[in-house]
Amino acid sequence: MICQRCGENKAVIALQQLNEAGKVESLYLCENCAANEALSSEKDLVKAMDTFSEVALDFLTLLQKEENVQKKVVCGNCQLSFDEFLQTNRVGCSECYSAFEEQLVPIIGRVQNGYTKHVGKVPAEVERAEGVQNEISHLQEKLALLVKNEEFEEAAIIRDEIRALKAGGEDK
Amino acid sequence: MNVFEPRLSSWLENAGDDDDVVLSSRIRLARNLKDEKFPIYEQKEEIVDQIAEVFDDSFSLFKMNQISLLEKALLVEKHLISPYMMNKSEYGAVLLNEEENVSIMLNEEDHLRIQCMTPGLRLFDALEAALQIDGYVEEKLTYAFDKQFGYLTSCLTNVGTGMRASVMVHLPGLVTTKRIKSVIEAIRSLGFVVRGIYGEGSMPASSIFQVSNQVTLGKTETEIVEDLTQVMEQIIMQERVARTTLKQKFHIALEDRVFRSYGLLMNCRIISMKEAADAISDIRLGVELGFFEHISRQKMNELVLFSQPAFLRKEAGRDMDELEEKVIRAKVIREILGDK
Ligand SMILES: [Zn+2]
Ligand SMILES: [Zn+2]
């Protein structure tokens, strides 16, 4: 669905308004236009922010339903379809996050105030693995340079270090 | 294990920082095991045993299909399990420590929900305790984790840190001076969620509110706790100002209200949850303002906890109808208040 104000961007939110006939009308807006709409009345800002997070999830769910009718996306691990996710707003397993990544990222951004990247605690195991991986890449760069400069003796030492790291040994 | 006996959990019994306003702080971490379906779609009993094995015998395991409905309700009233776990989770279980300030729900909406409670405003202590348990589990089991999205949870509103930090506050000053609405709006605009406890709507019975973080992604655990602590410090200040104003400008009216509520609870023979909660709130305020020397804060927590439906049935040793419940509640309240 396209934004009804600018007619360019994708609509992400529905604003409920009363028209002249006194009937409730939905105005579908993109993020920019919705933000402008909210800013235009300073007094309603707080209210608009509240509405944003509360209404957004439901509305996004509706939009996505519309877009995903044709292509049926299913998680290969737990067999949950994206349609089923939309009914419960709960994913079925950790693999769902990669299976539905394209669809989930905008929803996550919406319910998480625009954030889509984790910056908090990382499991110790992941942190260790990451540390080792970083060290390997660092050594590989060094090795390439040594080989280029034909310093083979030094290069052999580095190569063994890389092998040891890859084998899972953390000792030097 | 005497968790089902009428006694206060440690976080409601001991004193904490700023506890003239803050009742308790809580940190909850949502975690799931890698490669397993999330329990909302499929519950496995083995997962409970697998996780329980990680903990030593300082924790007691209670399986939902092995305890009675009344016992489950007692745990809900003690805030040690969720209503969802009581109603929906067939293979759900909870691990509790002796002090009852750690509750680890298994097979709730996520495989693990690690919760640590403290009295007063002590979110950092609760966070430290929760992370310690988290690290302990992490050594033995592999969590569902993704570099971009963090800890993977069943609901997208928990993904990332999986952390919900919340503080329970008593705000009778702001409610009475009618400033609560603007304060709640201000808190919400800062990205925090405010809920009324023990009652529905924006004006809950007992003037008790719960403030918690909305966002779980894009901020570190420490940042979330720092932000919430700062917001709470502001609220605490404002509540104290409101109480001082009430005491100075409306002293006799305030005293009248507090002592009427005291008279009500000391003499009633039939009382509903809502009426009791409102009166308890008045007396709690009176205790904080020094109107009662013989009543402690702990006694207020006992009144709230033990006047709930499951505790009344436990006390009576049988089920009862609505009227009888109100009669027993009045009796229990009179006994607690009258007991020096
Ligand atoms: Zn637009
Ligand atoms: Zn899945």
Side-chain angles (χ1 to χ4, degrees), chain A residues 63-81:
Chain A
L63 270 186
Q64 302 240 326
K65 214 174 250 171
E66 204 173 85
E67 281 169 20
N68 287 284
V69 174
Q70 260 77 26
K71 46 174 182 174
K72 243 198 170 333
V73 205
V74 174
C75 170
N77 184 47
C78 73
Q79 309 307 322
L80 186 82
S81 74

Side-chain angles (χ1 to χ4, degrees), chain A residues 68-86 91-104, chain B residues 37:
Chain A
N68 287 284
V69 174
Q70 260 77 26
K71 46 174 182 174
K72 243 198 170 333
V73 205
V74 174
C75 170
N77 184 47
C78 73
Q79 309 307 322
L80 186 82
S81 74
F82 188 66
D83 277 354
E84 287 169 291
F85 161 75
L86 292 174
V91 298
C93 75
S94 52
E95 294 293 312
C96 287
Y97 279 89
S98 41
F100 309 143
E101 185 167 357
E102 190 189 322
Q103 292 85 354
L104 290 185
Chain B
K37 287 187 194 177

Side-chain angles (χ1 to χ4, degrees), chain B residues 28 30 128 163 172 186 211 291 304:
Chain B
R28 184 219 68 199
E128 200 186 313
M163 186 182 84
V211 185
F291 292 176
V304 171

Side-chain angles (χ1 to χ4, degrees), chain B residues 30 42 62 84 95 97 110 175 208 224 238 273 276 307 311 322 328 333:
Chain B
E42 183 190 65
F62 299 94
Y84 176 86
L95 285 156
N97 67 345
D110 297 296
V175 170
I208 293 179
I224 294 172
Q238 299 205 29
M273 271 272 270
S307 63
F311 270 98
E322 215 176 305
I328 308 264
I333 288 176

Side-chain angles (χ1 to χ4, degrees), chain A residues 50 53 80 85 88 90-94 97 105 107-108 112-113 115-124 130, chain B residues 37-38 41 109 131 134 138 144-145 147-148 150-154 156-157 159-160 215-221:
Chain A
D50 251 10
S53 49
L80 186 82
F85 161 75
T88 58
R90 300 289 188 281
V91 298
C93 75
S94 52
Y97 279 89
V105 168
I107 304 181
I108 290 175
Q112 296 284 353
N113 268 356
Y115 295 112
T116 52
K117 175 94 180 79
H118 175 64
V119 296
K121 177 183 178 269
V122 170
E130 221 165 59
Chain B
K37 287 187 194 177
F38 292 165
Y41 292 105
E109 195 181 291
L131 289 179
D134 189 42
E138 201 174 83
F145 180 86
K147 272 185 197 157
Q148 163 149 19
Y151 290 93
L152 303 178
T153 52
S154 189
L156 305 180
T157 56
V159 78
V215 166
T216 54
L217 193 66
K219 285 187 185 185
T220 65
E221 291 80 358

